[in-house]
Amino acid sequence: MLRCPLQLVRLRLPVRQLSDLTTKFTGLGSFSNLNYDQLQSSLRTDSSQCEQFWKLIGEQQLNWMQPFHTVSDCDLKSAKIAWYLGGKLNASANCIDRHLATRADQTALIWEQDEPGNQVYITYKQLHAEVCRIASLLLQSGLQAGDTAVLYMPTGPPVVYCMLACARIGVAHSVVFAGFSAEALAARIQDVGAKVVITTDQAIRGGKTVELKRTVDAAVKSCPMVERVFVSTRTGASVPMGSIDVPLEKNAAACSADCAAEPMDSEQPLFVLYTSGSTGKPKGLVHSTAGYLVYTSLTHQHVFDYRPGQDIFGCVADVGWITGHSYVVYGPLANGGTTLLFESTPAYPDVGRYWETAERLGLTHIYLSPTSLRMLLRYSTDFVTKYDLSRLRVLGCVGEPLNHEAWEWYHRWVGGGHRDIADTWWQTETGGVCIAPRPSAEGAPILPAMPMRPFYGLEPVLMDPATGAEVTESPAEGHLCMRRPWPGMARSIWGDHKRFAETYYSQFPGLYFTGDGASRDAQGFLHITGRVDDVINVTGHRLGTAEIEDALDSHPAVSETAVIGYPHKLKGEAVYAFVILKDGVSIDRLGDLRRELKRRVRDRIAAYAVPEKLLFTDGLPKTRSGKIMRRILKRIAAEDYDSIGDISTLADPSVVEALKQHHDLYQ
Ligand code: 6R9
């Protein structure tokens, strides 16, 4: 396998593209014609410049129904974040209506169905009509501005229609990934207080059908606040319809295709999206209307060098994750782009699916996960080279650290050795990309396997967790924080601002703490080392170890559990559960118990959360005050025994030896 040391890879870009990189801001007052380095240094050194920059960007990126009077009102010490105050706008109008004069017949969405060759093209004009009909239907059903609706749907046009229909009438949507279990769905419906749930009869993915409506039926049994369930048709299978269930398309067809977009305050929540944290309860991150849209559209344009009217953006993420929200839906549509809705998997019907799709649809951009690359690179490169990928210009990646091997494979086989690789670092909380190789100055190098450069106006800092002080030298490592606020950052945790402040703004006062570790090389470029909290990243999906422990602990035979992540060749990280059983549980039942516990995690959370390894043990490494030393469990799981370190402070050091032996046996 081709390996490349950490060296400068100078990319030869076409001359036109190079000049574009430096002239993006023409017409932006004093920022016109500044290159990346000049702009960043002016924004970093001068707060008023920063304010002026985001003012001009805010005015330029969006259509306002009422102009804003204050650019920002933020105080990170008290977790107060507000942008574009006084302004009124509508996100749906910004993603659809404002393009109608010039792009009515341009394709807005390309729905790449599970079976290859069944793509469906939807123009901006059609998108407008569909969104208006559904918005009218939602209004008729009694939803109004300020309400919330949960969407439990597969990636496809209907979920986009419903998101934008909610935005049109000021309802905050909360899309729940359609792989979550009924219990996980119910917890989110209850937390967000949704009166309406929108779902699909069945989903189809990788040739298999998934029962979404039945899962919703099971979930809403424990959600008395739900008054209405709209059911979209994907397969047309007959699914049970109860008294609160309403077929979506049939009823929307009878509604008006003209529905006014409501003027909303800049800070009105556009959506709530749940993600895992280090405690058991998932957090509903709240994103604003104006700041989020300004930031996703700007990053979509500059990080990926996106040109509306010419380019087809192929983000293959599921709409149920933040990547789908920001770079399948809001960023591309706010920019008047053409965006892909990918229903399938990278391996269906074979591992050439992404590249076959890219050729057939003429994608100019592909944006995917390191996990999928690690899976694909195990197969013959013929699956890539037999397709004509000459239209692809920018190759993006997000979700986990992109290792060297995957970077090289992507760059060489998909990128022909010369296309830009955008390894983008960001989070559900950040709204959009924060660190990525582009935008950058003319001829700027892209280094393998690191996101490298902060986006305009962002100021990453590395903090020493031991002293709480900033690490200023380079090269260095530390906890990754952000000093300056930016418009796209999350505003709160739904219903729990205190938890928001504690989670992100208390550890390093005055800074946003990302939960990730990072290193900075001698040139100042950033590399992300992974989570430093109790969050693990399995196939690019975040999981809280406490969430999985809660599910396991709920089993009557279980006394205590400790869950950690360990390095996994394909998944990035996989789940390892250490389980202590209650006294008297028969040893003969271990096989059954293993199955029952895995099932429990699947039922309570989702299939991807199921432990890859599950070790029954008599003891866990604990301090004398009873705190589980996860650091030690991690080393045992990774078989990194040499760096276990001092165990003399443990209440019972012999536990470590026993675990090592069990782990060896287990292999
Ligand atoms: C967009 C998204 C966020 C966590 C984040 C980090 C990891 C994302 C990465 C990356 C290294 C990258 N992560 N991109 N790590 N390099 N380019 O993935 O959001 O699901 O909230 O996950 O993913 O650990 O903290 P989310």
Side-chain angles (χ1 to χ4, degrees):
M1 182 51 65
L2 187 80
R3 280 197 179 276
C4 182
L6 200 67
Q7 64 184 16
L8 288 190
V9 175
R10 284 199 178 268
L11 298 180
R12 260 163 242 91
L13 296 171
V15 173
R16 187 171 55 85
Q17 192 177 335
L18 286 177
S19 58
D20 281 356
L21 287 169
T22 57
T23 54
K24 285 270 167 60
F25 285 111
T26 307
L28 205 72
S30 60
F31 301 110
S32 296
N33 297 319
L34 292 187
N35 72 23
Y36 172 85
D37 291 322
Q38 294 161 338
L39 181 60
Q40 281 297 47
S41 91
S42 106
L43 297 180
R44 203 172 8 248
T45 46
D46 186 346
S47 298
S48 65
Q49 284 285 81
C50 227
E51 192 87 349
Q52 179 64 8
F53 173 76
W54 287 120
K55 173 179 181 286
L56 296 174
I57 291 290
E59 288 165 355
Q60 175 201 274
Q61 290 300 114
L62 302 181
N63 268 14
W64 296 87
M65 292 163 162
Q66 178 179 301
F68 54 88
H69 54 63
T70 304
V71 178
S72 73
D73 181 15
C74 301
D75 174 20
L76 296 189
K77 279 199 185 73
S78 58
K80 181 172 84 170
I81 304 146
W83 286 81
Y84 304 117
L85 293 130
K88 284 196 188 288
L89 75 167
N90 183 283
S92 161
N94 270 284
C95 288
I96 313 172
D97 306 39
R98 70 162 155 161
H99 307 311
L100 290 178
T102 51
R103 303 185 189 279
D105 296 318
Q106 183 195 303
T107 301
L109 314 175
I110 306 178
W111 180 23
E112 171 65 6
Q113 297 189 7
D114 195 42
E115 285 306 322
N118 292 319
Q119 63 272 19
V120 177
Y121 293 84
I122 290 134
T123 63
Y124 273 95
K125 195 162 67 194
Q126 290 168 322
L127 178 64
H128 179 260
E130 297 291 349
V131 168
C132 283
R133 287 204 169 93
I134 294 177
S136 305
L137 178 65
L138 296 179
L139 282 175
Q140 266 178 30
S141 77
L143 271 187
Q144 51 189 19
D147 286 341
T148 54
V150 160
L151 278 42
Y152 186 70
M153 305 170 85
T155 297
V159 72
V160 181
Y161 301 157
C162 292
M163 290 164 83
L164 295 172
C166 287
R168 200 162 185 90
I169 59 172
V171 167
H173 57 71
S174 185
V175 182
V176 175
F177 171 60
F180 276 116
S181 68
E183 275 190 56
L185 172 61
R188 287 157 176 76
I189 295 173
Q190 288 160 6
D191 189 75
V192 84
K195 283 203 263 182
V196 162
V197 175
I198 314 180
T199 189
T200 306
D201 50 3
Q202 294 174 320
I204 314 179
R205 203 157 172 264
K208 298 193 188 93
T209 48
V210 189
E211 299 290 343
L212 299 190
K213 169 64 167 60
R214 282 172 206 275
T215 307
V216 169
D217 288 346
V220 297
K221 281 198 184 111
S222 58
C223 303
M225 71 290 285
V226 174
E227 294 165 7
R228 186 72 72 243
V229 175
F230 290 103
V231 186
S232 168
T233 302
R234 171 65 183 94
T235 65
S238 97
V239 290
M241 295 291 277
S243 58
I244 61 167
D245 302 337
V246 175
L248 180 72
E249 285 80 7
K250 201 172 121 207
N251 284 275
C255 290
S256 167
D258 198 6
C259 174
E262 280 287 308
M264 305 310 300
D265 286 339
S266 291
E267 281 297 308
Q268 172 74 21
L270 177 61
F271 65 86
V272 179
L273 188 62
Y274 284 84
T275 188
S276 295
S278 39
T279 63
K281 199 167 166 254
K283 317 175 266 205
L285 269 315
V286 180
H287 279 284
S288 69
T289 300
Y292 173 79
L293 217 52
V294 165
Y295 196 70
T296 49
S297 62
L298 188 74
T299 48
H300 176 247
Q301 199 180 326
H302 290 258
V303 169
F304 301 102
D305 184 28
Y306 185 79
R307 301 165 199 170
Q310 306 168 36
D311 288 347
I312 303 179
F313 198 74
C315 171
V316 293
D318 193 286
V319 172
W321 307 113
I322 190 69
T323 306
H325 279 58
S326 300
Y327 300 109
V328 173
V329 182
Y330 286 110
L333 295 180
N335 285 333
T338 300
T339 187
L340 179 77
L341 305 172
F342 185 73
E343 187 178 42
S344 196
T345 78
Y348 185 77
D350 64 41
V351 291
R353 179 59 186 269
Y354 281 165
W355 326 121
E356 187 271 328
T357 302
E359 177 189 277
R360 180 162 37 82
L361 301 181
L363 302 183
T364 50
H365 294 69
I366 190 151
Y367 192 29
L368 43 70
S369 69
T371 291
S372 59
L373 287 177
R374 285 195 298 268
M375 187 271 287
L376 296 174
L377 64 73
R378 295 189 305 170
Y379 297 90
S380 162
T381 49
D382 293 350
F383 282 108
V384 187
T385 53
K386 71 176 170 188
Y387 299 108
D388 174 6
L389 301 179
S390 56
R391 284 213 66 197
L392 273 182
R393 203 171 76 245
V394 179
L395 313 177
C397 192
V398 63
E400 311 150 69
L402 176 62
N403 51 314
H404 275 262
E405 190 186 13
W407 194 97
E408 290 301 340
W409 187 88
Y410 199 20
H411 187 241
R412 173 165 178 188
W413 296 107
V414 185
H418 62 89
R419 295 189 181 101
D420 266 7
I421 303 272
D423 175 1
T424 64
W425 177 90
W426 59 293
Q427 310 175 294
T428 307
E429 291 84 346
T430 69
V433 173
C434 291
I435 310 179
R438 299 273 186 257
S440 43
E442 194 167 326
I446 291 185
L447 301 176
M450 65 200 297
M452 300 182 74
R453 304 179 176 93
F455 190 70
Y456 298 129
L458 269 78
E459 207 183 324
V461 286
L462 297 183
M463 302 299 290
D464 181 337
T467 61
E470 186 183 343
V471 186
T472 48
E473 72 274 9
S474 292
E477 251 192 76
H479 283 18
L480 179 65
C481 295
M482 297 285 170
R483 179 147 32 224
R484 268 184 206 282
W486 65 96
M489 65 201 309
R491 301 301 195 255
S492 193
I493 290 175
W494 185 260
D496 200 348
H497 195 71
K498 192 163 161 271
R499 185 174 172 205
F500 180 69
E502 272 164 17
T503 312
Y504 305 109
Y505 296 97
S506 68
Q507 194 152 342
F508 303 104
L511 304 177
Y512 164 69
F513 174 42
T514 64
D516 277 353
S519 63
R520 187 173 48 217
D521 72 9
Q523 297 172 85
F525 296 140
L526 291 160
H527 169 80
I528 310 298
T529 49
R531 300 292 305 193
V532 292
D533 54 9
D534 292 329
V535 171
I536 52 186
N537 196 328
V538 180
T539 59
H541 302 323
R542 275 164 67 167
L543 280 167
T545 53
E547 246 176 293
I548 307 170
E549 287 165 7
D550 281 356
L552 295 169
D553 291 347
S554 70
H555 192 287
V558 170
S559 158
E560 192 178 6
T561 54
V563 167
I564 53 145
Y566 70 99
H568 188 279
K569 229 181 146 15
L570 268 187
K571 299 179 174 183
E573 273 188 297
V575 179
Y576 197 139
F578 295 86
V579 178
I580 303 182
L581 294 172
K582 284 187 179 149
D583 275 352
V585 176
S586 161
I587 205 105
D588 303 338
R589 281 202 61 217
L590 289 190
D592 287 346
L593 273 174
R594 186 181 297 280
R595 271 189 297 279
E596 283 170 28
L597 289 171
K598 289 191 172 185
R599 162 114 233 149
R600 200 157 270 245
V601 175
R602 184 187 304 266
D603 289 348
R604 293 224 159 183
I605 310 173
Y608 71 88
V610 172
E612 183 92 5
K613 294 188 179 178
L614 199 150
L615 181 68
F616 294 111
T617 171
D618 293 331
L620 290 167
K622 289 188 181 175
T623 59
R624 291 199 182 93
S625 60
K627 200 171 180 313
I628 297 172
M629 298 287 286
R630 286 166 195 281
R631 181 179 56 79
I632 294 179
L633 293 175
K634 280 193 171 180
R635 301 275 147 79
I636 291 171
E639 292 175 46
D640 183 8
Y641 300 142
D642 292 342
S643 54
I644 284 182
D646 181 18
I647 56 170
S648 61
T649 54
L650 292 182
D652 177 7
S654 71
V655 164
V656 174
E657 203 43 50
L659 280 174
K660 272 161 61 177
Q661 278 168 20
H662 275 108
H663 172 77
D664 286 346
L665 273 179
Y666 183 86
Q667 294 304 299

